[in-house]
PDB file of all heavy atoms in Angstrom:
ATOM      1  N   GLU A   1    -141.490  11.255 -97.620  1.00  0.00           N
ATOM      2  CA  GLU A   1    -142.005  11.929 -98.769  1.00  0.00           C
ATOM      3  C   GLU A   1    -141.944  10.967 -99.988  1.00  0.00           C
ATOM      4  O   GLU A   1    -140.813  10.511-100.348  1.00  0.00           O
ATOM      5  CB  GLU A   1    -141.242  13.215 -99.089  1.00  0.00           C
ATOM      6  CG  GLU A   1    -141.739  14.019-100.245  1.00  0.00           C
ATOM      7  CD  GLU A   1    -140.904  15.262-100.544  1.00  0.00           C
ATOM      8  OE1 GLU A   1    -140.266  15.768 -99.527  1.00  0.00           O
ATOM      9  OE2 GLU A   1    -140.949  15.818-101.604  1.00  0.00           O
ATOM     10  N   ASP A   2    -143.011  10.690-100.583  1.00  0.00           N
ATOM     11  CA  ASP A   2    -143.034   9.678-101.630  1.00  0.00           C
ATOM     12  C   ASP A   2    -142.163  10.137-102.867  1.00  0.00           C
ATOM     13  O   ASP A   2    -142.260  11.220-103.392  1.00  0.00           O
ATOM     14  CB  ASP A   2    -144.493   9.414-102.131  1.00  0.00           C
ATOM     15  CG  ASP A   2    -144.503   8.322-103.187  1.00  0.00           C
ATOM     16  OD1 ASP A   2    -144.076   7.195-102.903  1.00  0.00           O
ATOM     17  OD2 ASP A   2    -144.974   8.567-104.345  1.00  0.00           O
ATOM     18  N   ASN A   3    -141.291   9.231-103.268  1.00  0.00           N
ATOM     19  CA  ASN A   3    -140.528   9.392-104.528  1.00  0.00           C
ATOM     20  C   ASN A   3    -141.151   8.362-105.524  1.00  0.00           C
ATOM     21  O   ASN A   3    -140.991   7.211-105.341  1.00  0.00           O
ATOM     22  CB  ASN A   3    -139.081   9.046-104.337  1.00  0.00           C
ATOM     23  CG  ASN A   3    -138.215   9.358-105.572  1.00  0.00           C
ATOM     24  OD1 ASN A   3    -138.695   9.208-106.708  1.00  0.00           O
ATOM     25  ND2 ASN A   3    -136.947   9.638-105.440  1.00  0.00           N
ATOM     26  N   PRO A   4    -141.790   8.905-106.597  1.00  0.00           N
ATOM     27  CA  PRO A   4    -142.454   8.005-107.537  1.00  0.00           C
ATOM     28  C   PRO A   4    -141.568   6.983-108.266  1.00  0.00           C
ATOM     29  O   PRO A   4    -142.017   6.051-108.805  1.00  0.00           O
ATOM     30  CB  PRO A   4    -143.170   8.939-108.454  1.00  0.00           C
ATOM     31  CG  PRO A   4    -142.414  10.214-108.403  1.00  0.00           C
ATOM     32  CD  PRO A   4    -141.894  10.349-106.998  1.00  0.00           C
ATOM     33  N   ASN A   5    -140.293   7.268-108.211  1.00  0.00           N
ATOM     34  CA  ASN A   5    -139.343   6.454-108.917  1.00  0.00           C
ATOM     35  C   ASN A   5    -138.755   5.328-107.982  1.00  0.00           C
ATOM     36  O   ASN A   5    -137.980   4.481-108.453  1.00  0.00           O
ATOM     37  CB  ASN A   5    -138.151   7.220-109.508  1.00  0.00           C
ATOM     38  CG  ASN A   5    -138.634   8.246-110.499  1.00  0.00           C
ATOM     39  OD1 ASN A   5    -139.535   7.990-111.260  1.00  0.00           O
ATOM     40  ND2 ASN A   5    -137.922   9.406-110.548  1.00  0.00           N
ATOM     41  N   VAL A   6    -139.220   5.289-106.726  1.00  0.00           N
ATOM     42  CA  VAL A   6    -138.651   4.356-105.762  1.00  0.00           C
ATOM     43  C   VAL A   6    -139.828   3.617-105.067  1.00  0.00           C
ATOM     44  O   VAL A   6    -140.821   4.251-104.689  1.00  0.00           O
ATOM     45  CB  VAL A   6    -137.728   5.122-104.713  1.00  0.00           C
ATOM     46  CG1 VAL A   6    -137.257   4.069-103.670  1.00  0.00           C
ATOM     47  CG2 VAL A   6    -136.581   5.734-105.382  1.00  0.00           C
ATOM     48  N   ASP A   7    -139.629   2.316-104.888  1.00  0.00           N
ATOM     49  CA  ASP A   7    -140.620   1.584-104.109  1.00  0.00           C
ATOM     50  C   ASP A   7    -139.975   1.030-102.867  1.00  0.00           C
ATOM     51  O   ASP A   7    -138.705   0.848-102.832  1.00  0.00           O
ATOM     52  CB  ASP A   7    -141.055   0.327-105.014  1.00  0.00           C
ATOM     53  CG  ASP A   7    -141.820   0.703-106.227  1.00  0.00           C
ATOM     54  OD1 ASP A   7    -142.463   1.764-106.226  1.00  0.00           O
ATOM     55  OD2 ASP A   7    -141.763  -0.099-107.194  1.00  0.00           O
ATOM     56  N   GLY A   8    -140.817   0.881-101.851  1.00  0.00           N
ATOM     57  CA  GLY A   8    -140.300   0.283-100.546  1.00  0.00           C
ATOM     58  C   GLY A   8    -140.255   1.165 -99.397  1.00  0.00           C
ATOM     59  O   GLY A   8    -139.931   0.751 -98.308  1.00  0.00           O
ATOM     60  N   GLU A   9    -140.547   2.525 -99.550  1.00  0.00           N
ATOM     61  CA  GLU A   9    -140.561   3.385 -98.372  1.00  0.00           C
ATOM     62  C   GLU A   9    -141.712   2.937 -97.393  1.00  0.00           C
ATOM     63  O   GLU A   9    -142.794   2.620 -97.833  1.00  0.00           O
ATOM     64  CB  GLU A   9    -140.764   4.819 -98.774  1.00  0.00           C
ATOM     65  CG  GLU A   9    -139.811   5.319 -99.842  1.00  0.00           C
ATOM     66  CD  GLU A   9    -140.565   5.408-101.211  1.00  0.00           C
ATOM     67  OE1 GLU A   9    -141.266   4.423-101.518  1.00  0.00           O
ATOM     68  OE2 GLU A   9    -140.377   6.435-101.865  1.00  0.00           O
ATOM     69  N   MET A  10    -141.357   3.038 -96.116  1.00  0.00           N
ATOM     70  CA  MET A  10    -142.384   2.656 -95.088  1.00  0.00           C
ATOM     71  C   MET A  10    -142.330   3.605 -93.911  1.00  0.00           C
ATOM     72  O   MET A  10    -141.255   4.335 -93.719  1.00  0.00           O
ATOM     73  CB  MET A  10    -142.144   1.260 -94.608  1.00  0.00           C
ATOM     74  CG  MET A  10    -142.278   0.163 -95.676  1.00  0.00           C
ATOM     75  SD  MET A  10    -142.013  -1.557 -95.059  1.00  0.00           S
ATOM     76  CE  MET A  10    -143.426  -1.671 -93.960  1.00  0.00           C
ATOM     77  N   GLU A  11    -143.406   3.741 -93.159  1.00  0.00           N
ATOM     78  CA  GLU A  11    -143.372   4.491 -91.945  1.00  0.00           C
ATOM     79  C   GLU A  11    -142.965   3.636 -90.798  1.00  0.00           C
ATOM     80  O   GLU A  11    -143.130   2.392 -90.834  1.00  0.00           O
ATOM     81  CB  GLU A  11    -144.806   5.021 -91.718  1.00  0.00           C
ATOM     82  CG  GLU A  11    -145.302   6.069 -92.712  1.00  0.00           C
ATOM     83  CD  GLU A  11    -146.602   6.662 -92.424  1.00  0.00           C
ATOM     84  OE1 GLU A  11    -147.309   6.117 -91.482  1.00  0.00           O
ATOM     85  OE2 GLU A  11    -147.020   7.539 -93.086  1.00  0.00           O
ATOM     86  N   HIS A  12    -142.386   4.301 -89.803  1.00  0.00           N
ATOM     87  CA  HIS A  12    -141.893   3.461 -88.631  1.00  0.00           C
ATOM     88  C   HIS A  12    -142.182   4.218 -87.346  1.00  0.00           C
ATOM     89  O   HIS A  12    -142.293   5.457 -87.321  1.00  0.00           O
ATOM     90  CB  HIS A  12    -140.350   3.276 -88.795  1.00  0.00           C
ATOM     91  CG  HIS A  12    -139.906   2.636 -89.981  1.00  0.00           C
ATOM     92  ND1 HIS A  12    -139.717   1.273 -90.031  1.00  0.00           N
ATOM     93  CD2 HIS A  12    -139.622   3.101 -91.239  1.00  0.00           C
ATOM     94  CE1 HIS A  12    -139.317   0.883 -91.221  1.00  0.00           C
ATOM     95  NE2 HIS A  12    -139.247   1.993 -91.987  1.00  0.00           N
ATOM     96  N   THR A  13    -142.192   3.531 -86.222  1.00  0.00           N
ATOM     97  CA  THR A  13    -142.265   4.146 -84.921  1.00  0.00           C
ATOM     98  C   THR A  13    -141.239   3.405 -84.038  1.00  0.00           C
ATOM     99  O   THR A  13    -141.214   2.162 -83.949  1.00  0.00           O
ATOM    100  CB  THR A  13    -143.695   3.945 -84.361  1.00  0.00           C
ATOM    101  OG1 THR A  13    -144.624   4.638 -85.158  1.00  0.00           O
ATOM    102  CG2 THR A  13    -143.753   4.528 -82.991  1.00  0.00           C
ATOM    103  N   PHE A  14    -140.406   4.179 -83.360  1.00  0.00           N
ATOM    104  CA  PHE A  14    -139.370   3.614 -82.501  1.00  0.00           C
ATOM    105  C   PHE A  14    -139.591   4.186 -81.116  1.00  0.00           C
ATOM    106  O   PHE A  14    -140.094   5.349 -80.893  1.00  0.00           O
ATOM    107  CB  PHE A  14    -137.999   4.023 -82.976  1.00  0.00           C
ATOM    108  CG  PHE A  14    -137.682   3.554 -84.398  1.00  0.00           C
ATOM    109  CD1 PHE A  14    -137.249   4.526 -85.353  1.00  0.00           C
ATOM    110  CD2 PHE A  14    -137.900   2.277 -84.833  1.00  0.00           C
ATOM    111  CE1 PHE A  14    -137.005   4.126 -86.652  1.00  0.00           C
ATOM    112  CE2 PHE A  14    -137.709   1.884 -86.148  1.00  0.00           C
ATOM    113  CZ  PHE A  14    -137.277   2.811 -87.043  1.00  0.00           C
ATOM    114  N   ILE A  15    -139.028   3.496 -80.129  1.00  0.00           N
ATOM    115  CA  ILE A  15    -138.941   4.048 -78.745  1.00  0.00           C
ATOM    116  C   ILE A  15    -137.557   4.258 -78.440  1.00  0.00           C
ATOM    117  O   ILE A  15    -136.712   3.353 -78.220  1.00  0.00           O
ATOM    118  CB  ILE A  15    -139.638   3.081 -77.742  1.00  0.00           C
ATOM    119  CG1 ILE A  15    -141.050   2.773 -78.103  1.00  0.00           C
ATOM    120  CG2 ILE A  15    -139.543   3.686 -76.318  1.00  0.00           C
ATOM    121  CD1 ILE A  15    -141.942   4.065 -78.082  1.00  0.00           C
ATOM    122  N   GLY A  16    -137.090   5.551 -78.371  1.00  0.00           N
ATOM    123  CA  GLY A  16    -135.748   5.884 -78.137  1.00  0.00           C
ATOM    124  C   GLY A  16    -134.800   5.842 -79.369  1.00  0.00           C
ATOM    125  O   GLY A  16    -133.985   6.644 -79.509  1.00  0.00           O
ATOM    126  N   GLY A  17    -134.980   4.736 -80.102  1.00  0.00           N
ATOM    127  CA  GLY A  17    -134.143   4.623 -81.326  1.00  0.00           C
ATOM    128  C   GLY A  17    -134.495   3.353 -82.037  1.00  0.00           C
ATOM    129  O   GLY A  17    -135.202   2.448 -81.528  1.00  0.00           O
ATOM    130  N   GLY A  18    -134.063   3.292 -83.289  1.00  0.00           N
ATOM    131  CA  GLY A  18    -134.339   2.049 -84.093  1.00  0.00           C
ATOM    132  C   GLY A  18    -133.812   2.169 -85.522  1.00  0.00           C
ATOM    133  O   GLY A  18    -133.280   3.308 -85.854  1.00  0.00           O
ATOM    134  N   TYR A  19    -133.872   1.086 -86.233  1.00  0.00           N
ATOM    135  CA  TYR A  19    -133.317   1.124 -87.589  1.00  0.00           C
ATOM    136  C   TYR A  19    -134.446   1.264 -88.650  1.00  0.00           C
ATOM    137  O   TYR A  19    -135.463   0.522 -88.599  1.00  0.00           O
ATOM    138  CB  TYR A  19    -132.559  -0.179 -87.863  1.00  0.00           C
ATOM    139  CG  TYR A  19    -131.234  -0.253 -87.180  1.00  0.00           C
ATOM    140  CD1 TYR A  19    -131.142  -0.819 -85.837  1.00  0.00           C
ATOM    141  CD2 TYR A  19    -130.084   0.185 -87.734  1.00  0.00           C
ATOM    142  CE1 TYR A  19    -129.941  -0.910 -85.152  1.00  0.00           C
ATOM    143  CE2 TYR A  19    -128.899   0.170 -87.069  1.00  0.00           C
ATOM    144  CZ  TYR A  19    -128.772  -0.469 -85.816  1.00  0.00           C
ATOM    145  OH  TYR A  19    -127.607  -0.488 -85.165  1.00  0.00           O
ATOM    146  N   ILE A  20    -134.201   2.190 -89.583  1.00  0.00           N
ATOM    147  CA  ILE A  20    -135.011   2.197 -90.815  1.00  0.00           C
ATOM    148  C   ILE A  20    -134.375   1.132 -91.686  1.00  0.00           C
ATOM    149  O   ILE A  20    -133.259   1.307 -92.170  1.00  0.00           O
ATOM    150  CB  ILE A  20    -135.018   3.617 -91.424  1.00  0.00           C
ATOM    151  CG1 ILE A  20    -135.596   4.655 -90.566  1.00  0.00           C
ATOM    152  CG2 ILE A  20    -135.729   3.578 -92.777  1.00  0.00           C
ATOM    153  CD1 ILE A  20    -135.509   6.099 -91.041  1.00  0.00           C
ATOM    154  N   ASP A  21    -135.096   0.019 -91.954  1.00  0.00           N
ATOM    155  CA  ASP A  21    -134.559  -1.051 -92.664  1.00  0.00           C
ATOM    156  C   ASP A  21    -135.273  -1.355 -93.975  1.00  0.00           C
ATOM    157  O   ASP A  21    -135.456  -2.480 -94.412  1.00  0.00           O
ATOM    158  CB  ASP A  21    -134.573  -2.322 -91.798  1.00  0.00           C
ATOM    159  CG  ASP A  21    -135.930  -2.628 -91.204  1.00  0.00           C
ATOM    160  OD1 ASP A  21    -136.921  -1.873 -91.557  1.00  0.00           O
ATOM    161  OD2 ASP A  21    -136.082  -3.669 -90.526  1.00  0.00           O
ATOM    162  N   ASP A  22    -135.847  -0.334 -94.602  1.00  0.00           N
ATOM    163  CA  ASP A  22    -136.623  -0.465 -95.816  1.00  0.00           C
ATOM    164  C   ASP A  22    -135.789  -1.040 -96.968  1.00  0.00           C
ATOM    165  O   ASP A  22    -134.570  -0.669 -97.120  1.00  0.00           O
ATOM    166  CB  ASP A  22    -137.255   0.792 -96.276  1.00  0.00           C
ATOM    167  CG  ASP A  22    -138.214   1.428 -95.303  1.00  0.00           C
ATOM    168  OD1 ASP A  22    -138.588   0.701 -94.329  1.00  0.00           O
ATOM    169  OD2 ASP A  22    -138.613   2.656 -95.358  1.00  0.00           O
ATOM    170  N   ILE A  23    -136.367  -1.895 -97.758  1.00  0.00           N
ATOM    171  CA  ILE A  23    -135.704  -2.340 -99.030  1.00  0.00           C
ATOM    172  C   ILE A  23    -136.175  -1.505-100.137  1.00  0.00           C
ATOM    173  O   ILE A  23    -137.398  -1.495-100.411  1.00  0.00           O
ATOM    174  CB  ILE A  23    -136.046  -3.792 -99.311  1.00  0.00           C
ATOM    175  CG1 ILE A  23    -135.495  -4.720 -98.129  1.00  0.00           C
ATOM    176  CG2 ILE A  23    -135.486  -4.306-100.612  1.00  0.00           C
ATOM    177  CD1 ILE A  23    -135.895  -6.153 -98.263  1.00  0.00           C
ATOM    178  N   LEU A  24    -135.322  -0.701-100.723  1.00  0.00           N
ATOM    179  CA  LEU A  24    -135.668   0.374-101.674  1.00  0.00           C
ATOM    180  C   LEU A  24    -135.233  -0.085-103.081  1.00  0.00           C
ATOM    181  O   LEU A  24    -134.087  -0.506-103.291  1.00  0.00           O
ATOM    182  CB  LEU A  24    -135.060   1.692-101.281  1.00  0.00           C
ATOM    183  CG  LEU A  24    -135.340   2.220 -99.873  1.00  0.00           C
ATOM    184  CD1 LEU A  24    -134.626   3.541 -99.577  1.00  0.00           C
ATOM    185  CD2 LEU A  24    -136.878   2.388 -99.694  1.00  0.00           C
ATOM    186  N   SER A  25    -136.135   0.089-104.018  1.00  0.00           N
ATOM    187  CA  SER A  25    -135.836  -0.320-105.379  1.00  0.00           C
ATOM    188  C   SER A  25    -136.239   0.863-106.347  1.00  0.00           C
ATOM    189  O   SER A  25    -137.365   1.421-106.200  1.00  0.00           O
ATOM    190  CB  SER A  25    -136.659  -1.568-105.784  1.00  0.00           C
ATOM    191  OG  SER A  25    -136.340  -2.598-104.834  1.00  0.00           O
ATOM    192  N   ILE A  26    -135.360   1.131-107.253  1.00  0.00           N
ATOM    193  CA  ILE A  26    -135.706   2.010-108.387  1.00  0.00           C
ATOM    194  C   ILE A  26    -136.559   1.246-109.315  1.00  0.00           C
ATOM    195  O   ILE A  26    -136.221   0.203-109.820  1.00  0.00           O
ATOM    196  CB  ILE A  26    -134.473   2.520-109.066  1.00  0.00           C
ATOM    197  CG1 ILE A  26    -133.605   3.311-108.037  1.00  0.00           C
ATOM    198  CG2 ILE A  26    -134.872   3.427-110.234  1.00  0.00           C
ATOM    199  CD1 ILE A  26    -132.300   3.817-108.608  1.00  0.00           C
ATOM    200  N   ASN A  27    -137.778   1.794-109.657  1.00  0.00           N
ATOM    201  CA  ASN A  27    -138.791   1.037-110.406  1.00  0.00           C
ATOM    202  C   ASN A  27    -138.768   1.256-111.908  1.00  0.00           C
ATOM    203  O   ASN A  27    -139.620   0.720-112.632  1.00  0.00           O
ATOM    204  CB  ASN A  27    -140.182   1.280-109.808  1.00  0.00           C
ATOM    205  CG  ASN A  27    -140.500   2.743-109.788  1.00  0.00           C
ATOM    206  OD1 ASN A  27    -140.090   3.526-110.669  1.00  0.00           O
ATOM    207  ND2 ASN A  27    -141.306   3.135-108.761  1.00  0.00           N
ATOM    208  N   ASP A  28    -137.853   2.150-112.384  1.00  0.00           N
ATOM    209  CA  ASP A  28    -137.759   2.413-113.842  1.00  0.00           C
ATOM    210  C   ASP A  28    -136.369   1.985-114.291  1.00  0.00           C
ATOM    211  O   ASP A  28    -135.362   2.584-113.884  1.00  0.00           O
ATOM    212  CB  ASP A  28    -138.048   3.863-114.064  1.00  0.00           C
ATOM    213  CG  ASP A  28    -138.103   4.182-115.511  1.00  0.00           C
ATOM    214  OD1 ASP A  28    -137.616   3.396-116.372  1.00  0.00           O
ATOM    215  OD2 ASP A  28    -138.512   5.282-115.919  1.00  0.00           O
ATOM    216  N   PRO A  29    -136.304   0.958-115.101  1.00  0.00           N
ATOM    217  CA  PRO A  29    -134.944   0.528-115.532  1.00  0.00           C
ATOM    218  C   PRO A  29    -134.201   1.472-116.396  1.00  0.00           C
ATOM    219  O   PRO A  29    -132.970   1.354-116.518  1.00  0.00           O
ATOM    220  CB  PRO A  29    -135.251  -0.727-116.385  1.00  0.00           C
ATOM    221  CG  PRO A  29    -136.673  -0.587-116.838  1.00  0.00           C
ATOM    222  CD  PRO A  29    -137.374   0.131-115.719  1.00  0.00           C
TER     223      PRO A  29
END
C-alpha cells in the first residue's frame, strides 16, 4: 500500500520464501 511519504517500496515474488529487501526513504525532511 503506497505511503506517499516513503520512497522505495517494491513488489516481490518468492517461491516458498524470500527477503523483502527494499531500501526505504522518508522523502520529506
Side-chain angles (χ1 to χ4, degrees):
E1 180 179 339
D2 181 57
N3 183 332
N5 298 324
V6 177
D7 296 331
E9 309 103 314
M10 298 180 66
E11 295 183 351
H12 301 266
T13 299
F14 306 126
I15 302 299
Y19 287 92
I20 300 176
D21 55 0
D22 298 348
I23 297 174
L24 304 178
S25 304
I26 298 176
N27 54 33
D28 185 346

